[in-house]
């Protein structure tokens, strides 16, 4: 529809310039009143027609474009949720953020310029060239003198614009990244010196400015060189056209009709070339967006994991992230119903070990069996449904307490939610003035560290999983509360499989076995008694 609109618009415009000859030769020079009436009616109809085309094109095209953008945003978002964890984690979050905001915006801008307007101008150019050749092909040939200048300028400045538009997008990404990380580290930055982060920011900001400036500079140089080329052509036409009128080869109306078509042609060519340059600008932007869309998705097919029956078995498992060996030759069996404690120095690989269990990394070597099915063959969603995790970095999102809990069990009743909060010793939530409807602020900023942990623990109770994993989940609690929370935990999940990572070993007293990690290896696998006797 937009194309049809632009066809109508361009056709009407060609008709109008064609009529200029009749207006001048028949109406102005021959003073024909009948002709004037006729021309007026045609001009008004053409002008109306042109508006219809204009409205059609200007509404339908953005509509289609916005729809595409909506879908792109959706696809990017789903990619973030469903993409392979290791692929997403290896990127800078600010960069992903920038691609899903700034680059989409740049995409929109370029698409407006190269879209239907571009095609309208193509039609206009064809129409105008038709009028020009029909009016006087000799004059038209004169105008072509300017073509080489057009081509040269397009080539040179087009490539410059491509280069700098890519740089602008990159520096935008850096900028977003810097603001993003500053916000998340505000407390740290305030208490330490702000100088370092300020100078990082200044550099990033200056870079963005520099690239935007150069982008604008090449844009204007480019446009100006086009105008110079047009002047050369127009000067040739005035000279040759003037001579042609003087010696009677063409009429004044011919020349004016020619000139008005030419002015529109030049204008259209400028817009066209601008659009053609946008194609070059568009390429890097599209590539940046595509990179996100190309992140591979976690495998959602595979064998359905119906029930945890027997054991989890690690066989010669190695995990490498980038260049570093995170886990080395892990061999162990966790039987159903066992309570496993995991200890070890900071950075020894405990969290990485349990992340493997809930399938965050699929790039490990060796084998991890759940009841004799290799992890990579299991439909990861069905496996995660059976696992509850309280991780070291508690994630609370900016919404109500209720929604923060419902992610564990979307159809939970108020009664179930209350029970879970009580088990997690998070009754304080119920005493808040707005109770479950309390909004928690970004990353749960309105809660204390220990409150956040207990709220996150309530999610585990709500999910009621077959395998429970607690990674330093009670580290922010005072010893007395921690003990109570841990006792409740063992009690509630006494027939489930429980894996607890802890630095405070008092929380592991009720474990059956303790795995001791060092440098990415399990160096000891002891019964709880052996472990505490050694201590
Ligand atoms: N995404 C990652 N990229 C690179 N290295 C990583 C990544 N995640 C973890 N590591 C490295 O792997 C090692 C093990 O990390 P892990 O989080 O498993 O340790 P941990 O035993 O849980 O430590 P802590 O007791 O401090 O929580 C560390 O040296 C860490 O720097
Ligand atoms: Mg850890």
């Amino acid at each position: 529809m937009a194309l049809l609109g632009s066809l109508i618009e361009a056709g009407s415009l060609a008709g109008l310039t064609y009529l200029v000859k009749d207006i001048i030769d028949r109406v102005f020079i021959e003073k024909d009143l009948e002709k004037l009436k006729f021309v007026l009616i045609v001009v008004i109809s053409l002008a109306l027609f042109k508006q219809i085309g204009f409205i059609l094109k200007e509404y339908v095209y953005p509509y289609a474009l916005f729809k595409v953008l909506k879908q792109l945003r959706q696809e990017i978002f789903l990619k973030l949720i469903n993409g392979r964890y290791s692929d997403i984690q290896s990127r800078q979050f600010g960069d992903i953020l920038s691609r899903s905001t700034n680059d989409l915006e740049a995409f929109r801008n370029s698409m407006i310029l190269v879209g239907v307007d571009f095609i309208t101008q193509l039609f206009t150019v064809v129409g105008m060239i038709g009028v020009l050749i029909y009016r006087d092909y000799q004059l038209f040939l004169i105008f072509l003198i300017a073509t080489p200048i057009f081509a040269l300028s397009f080539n040179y400045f087009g490539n410059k614009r491509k280069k700098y538009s890519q740089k602008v997008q990159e520096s935008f990404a850096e900028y977003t990244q810097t603001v993003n990380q500053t916000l998340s580290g505000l407390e740290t930055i305030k208490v330490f010196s702000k100088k370092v982060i300020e100078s990082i920011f200044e550099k990033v900001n200056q870079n963005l400015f520099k690239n935007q400036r150069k982008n604008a500079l090449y844009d204007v140089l480019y446009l100006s060189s086009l105008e110079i080329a047009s002047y050369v052509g127009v000067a040739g036409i005035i000279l040759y056209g003037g001579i042609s009128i003087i010696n009677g080869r063409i009429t004044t109306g011919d020349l004016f009709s020619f000139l008005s078509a030419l002015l529109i042609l030049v204008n259209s060519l400028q817009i066209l070339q601008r659009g053609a340059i946008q194609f070059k600008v568009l390429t890097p932007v599209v590539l940046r967006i595509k990179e996100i869309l190309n992140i591979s998705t976690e495998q959602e097919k595979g064998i359905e994991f119906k029930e945890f029956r027997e054991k989890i078995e690690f066989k010669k498992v190695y995990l490498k992230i980038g260049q570093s060996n995170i886990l080395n030759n892990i061999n162990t069996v966790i039987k159903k119903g066992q309570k496993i404690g995991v200890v070890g120095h900071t950075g020894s690989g405990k969290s990485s070990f349990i992340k493997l269990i809930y399938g965050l990394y699929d790039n490990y070597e060796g084998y991890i069996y759940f009841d004799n099915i290799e992890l990579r063959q299991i439909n990861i969603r069905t496996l995660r449904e059976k696992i509850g995790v309280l991780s070291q970095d508690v994630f609370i999102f900016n919404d109500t307490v209720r929604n923060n809990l419902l992610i564990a069990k979307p159809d939970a009743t108020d009664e179930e939610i209350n029970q879970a909060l009580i088990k997690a010793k998070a009754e304080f939530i119920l005493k808040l003035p707005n109770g479950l409807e309390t909004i928690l602020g970004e990353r749960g900023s309105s809660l204390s560290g220990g409150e956040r942990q207990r709220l996150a623990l309530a999610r585990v109770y709500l999910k009621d999983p077959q395998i429970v994993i607690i990674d330093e989940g009670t580290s922010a609690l005072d010893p007395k509360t921690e003990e109570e929370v841990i006792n409740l935990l063992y009690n509630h999940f006494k027939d489930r499989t429980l894996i607890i990572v802890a630095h405070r070993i008092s929380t592991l007293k009720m474990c059956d076995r303790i795995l001791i990690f060092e440098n990415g290896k399990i160096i000891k696998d002891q019964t709880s008694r052996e472990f505490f006797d050694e201590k």
Side-chain angles (χ1 to χ4, degrees):
M1 278 174 72
L3 271 181
L4 179 68
S6 64
L7 203 58
I8 293 174
E9 201 188 355
S12 318
L13 203 59
L16 284 170
T17 54
Y18 180 82
L19 277 179
V20 168
K21 175 182 163 69
D22 276 353
I23 297 175
I24 290 182
D25 287 349
R26 304 287 291 281
V27 181
F28 293 166
I29 296 178
E30 290 173 19
K31 305 190 172 44
D32 179 343
L33 191 62
E34 281 310 302
K35 195 72 194 175
L36 175 64
K37 285 181 193 158
F38 171 73
V39 163
L40 210 60
I41 291 168
V42 176
V43 166
I44 291 172
S45 327
L46 279 177
L48 276 178
F49 218 50
K50 182 173 173 297
Q51 283 316 304
I52 294 174
F54 175 76
I55 290 171
L56 204 56
K57 164 196 114 189
E58 293 294 317
Y59 177 66
V60 176
Y61 181 69
Y63 173 89
L65 179 60
F66 293 152
K67 208 158 177 180
V68 168
L69 281 165
K70 173 171 170 252
Q71 198 167 334
L72 272 175
R73 286 194 299 263
Q74 162 110 354
E75 276 182 33
I76 290 178
F77 187 73
L78 289 181
K79 221 16 146 201
L80 298 185
I81 307 186
N82 298 325
R84 277 178 74 209
Y85 178 71
S86 42
D87 285 1
I88 302 219
Q89 216 207 13
S90 61
R91 299 172 163 278
Q92 304 265 16
F93 285 176
D95 182 59
I96 295 185
L97 203 61
S98 172
R99 285 170 200 243
S100 36
T101 52
N102 302 335
D103 285 82
L104 278 186
E105 185 57 20
F107 176 73
R108 187 189 71 86
N109 281 335
S110 292
M111 283 304 286
I112 292 271
L113 286 169
V114 299
V116 81
D117 247 346
F118 187 77
I119 295 165
T120 313
Q121 300 306 335
L122 267 184
F123 289 142
T124 311
V125 166
V126 172
M128 290 307 144
I129 289 180
V131 174
L132 290 179
I133 293 177
Y134 184 79
R135 281 290 172 239
D136 191 354
Y137 73 90
Q138 293 185 5
L139 271 180
F140 182 65
L141 287 179
I142 297 272
F143 177 69
L144 291 185
I145 307 168
T147 340
I149 313 182
F150 275 108
L152 274 179
S153 128
F154 176 67
N155 207 15
Y156 179 74
F157 291 111
N159 288 333
K160 286 278 184 208
R161 290 267 283 125
K162 179 176 177 177
K163 179 173 152 202
Y164 280 100
S165 89
Q166 180 163 7
K167 286 193 164 191
V168 166
Q169 286 314 117
E170 281 165 6
S171 26
F172 240 121
E174 266 177 15
Y175 164 76
T176 318
Q177 215 162 290
T178 314
V179 173
N180 188 30
Q181 78 184 11
T182 304
L183 277 178
S184 47
L186 217 49
E187 291 156 24
T188 314
I189 292 169
K190 275 189 187 293
V191 81
F192 292 102
S193 165
K194 297 178 194 158
K195 277 224 177 69
V196 175
I197 205 89
E198 260 173 20
S199 75
I200 293 176
F201 180 80
E202 261 165 38
K203 220 168 86 190
V204 167
N205 203 14
Q206 173 65 22
N207 217 8
L208 178 57
F209 165 72
K210 189 189 90 190
N211 289 328
Q212 283 179 326
R213 182 179 64 77
K214 290 216 167 164
N215 207 18
L217 177 68
Y218 285 115
D219 200 27
V220 71
L221 285 180
Y222 166 68
L223 286 179
S224 141
S225 69
L226 285 195
E227 247 178 64
I228 292 173
S230 321
Y231 292 153
V232 172
V234 170
I237 284 160
I238 291 175
L239 182 68
Y240 186 70
I243 293 172
S244 299
I245 291 180
I246 292 168
N247 63 26
R249 193 178 67 81
I250 56 172
T251 66
T252 314
D254 277 325
L255 184 65
F256 272 87
S257 173
F258 188 93
L259 275 179
S260 53
L262 188 69
L263 284 180
I264 293 173
L265 176 71
V266 168
N267 178 50
S268 296
L269 280 179
Q270 277 198 3
I271 298 176
L272 267 187
Q273 298 225 2
R274 216 175 198 172
I277 283 205
Q278 283 301 319
F279 273 116
K280 295 195 176 190
V281 171
L282 200 55
T283 329
V285 169
V286 168
L287 284 181
R288 284 171 56 83
I289 296 173
K290 257 179 96 174
E291 253 176 54
I292 298 285
L293 293 177
N294 283 344
I295 291 177
S296 46
T297 317
E298 277 179 333
Q299 105 119 330
E300 281 264 336
K301 294 188 199 98
I303 302 167
E304 188 183 343
F305 190 74
K306 290 208 184 74
E307 201 196 332
F308 181 45
R309 293 207 181 83
E310 208 187 325
K311 61 176 195 291
I312 308 170
E313 184 171 6
F314 281 71
K315 261 192 182 164
K316 296 189 181 153
V317 174
Y318 291 79
L319 179 67
K320 223 175 149 173
I321 301 179
Q323 291 308 310
S324 36
N325 296 311
I326 309 288
L327 292 172
N328 296 303
N329 198 13
I330 301 290
N331 294 285
T332 190
V333 177
I334 298 171
K335 293 217 180 83
K336 183 180 173 180
Q338 275 189 331
K339 313 285 174 282
I340 307 287
V342 178
V343 297
H345 291 300
T346 175
S348 55
K350 305 179 296 296
S351 297
S352 309
F353 171 69
I354 59 162
K355 280 180 187 169
L356 279 176
I357 297 178
Y358 54 102
L360 278 193
Y361 297 113
D362 57 6
N363 51 338
Y364 57 89
E365 266 178 55
Y367 304 95
I368 303 172
Y369 295 103
F370 280 81
D371 298 341
N372 302 322
I373 316 173
E374 217 291 317
L375 175 60
R376 279 174 281 222
Q377 283 171 338
I378 300 176
N379 176 332
I380 200 71
R381 184 178 51 78
T382 61
L383 174 67
R384 288 188 191 142
E385 278 168 6
K386 313 292 180 299
I387 302 179
V389 180
L390 172 48
S391 63
Q392 206 167 1
D393 312 305
V394 169
F395 167 64
I396 307 281
F397 56 92
N398 184 7
D399 208 296
T400 57
V401 173
R402 183 190 298 279
N403 280 340
N404 264 288
L405 288 169
L406 286 184
I407 65 167
K409 187 179 183 194
D411 58 354
T413 62
D414 275 13
E415 181 50 30
E416 287 172 314
I417 291 180
N418 291 351
Q419 283 305 320
L421 286 171
I422 292 168
K423 288 265 174 184
K425 293 201 75 66
E427 303 96 328
F428 70 93
I429 294 281
L430 300 170
K431 295 190 191 111
L432 293 172
N434 291 325
L436 294 178
E437 311 312 323
T438 309
I439 303 267
L440 289 174
E442 209 171 341
R443 274 172 274 140
S445 51
S446 53
L447 298 177
S448 80
E451 287 170 340
R452 250 175 287 187
Q453 284 189 332
R454 280 176 285 160
L455 184 60
L457 181 60
R459 282 182 185 147
V460 178
Y461 280 109
L462 211 50
K463 185 165 180 181
D464 200 23
Q466 299 181 358
I467 301 166
V468 180
I469 299 175
I470 310 287
D471 187 357
E472 289 287 324
T474 52
S475 56
L477 306 182
D478 62 82
K480 185 169 162 287
T481 314
E482 179 173 44
E483 197 183 331
E484 287 170 9
V485 165
I486 290 287
N487 285 340
L488 283 169
L489 191 72
Y490 280 104
N491 234 316
H492 185 91
F493 292 116
K494 57 178 174 292
D495 53 349
R496 306 289 163 83
T497 312
L498 186 58
I499 303 167
I500 300 193
V501 181
H503 286 300
R504 259 191 257 175
I505 57 173
S506 60
T507 55
L508 304 177
K509 268 185 291 203
M510 281 174 273
C511 283
D512 305 307
R513 271 168 61 206
I514 311 285
L515 304 178
I516 305 173
F517 273 75
E518 201 174 294
N519 289 330
K521 289 193 194 103
I522 299 179
I523 54 159
K524 267 186 192 165
D525 179 348
Q526 299 178 306
T527 64
S528 180
R529 166 162 298 168
E530 284 167 345
F531 178 75
F532 283 101
D533 281 352
E534 266 185 29
K535 294 278 158 189

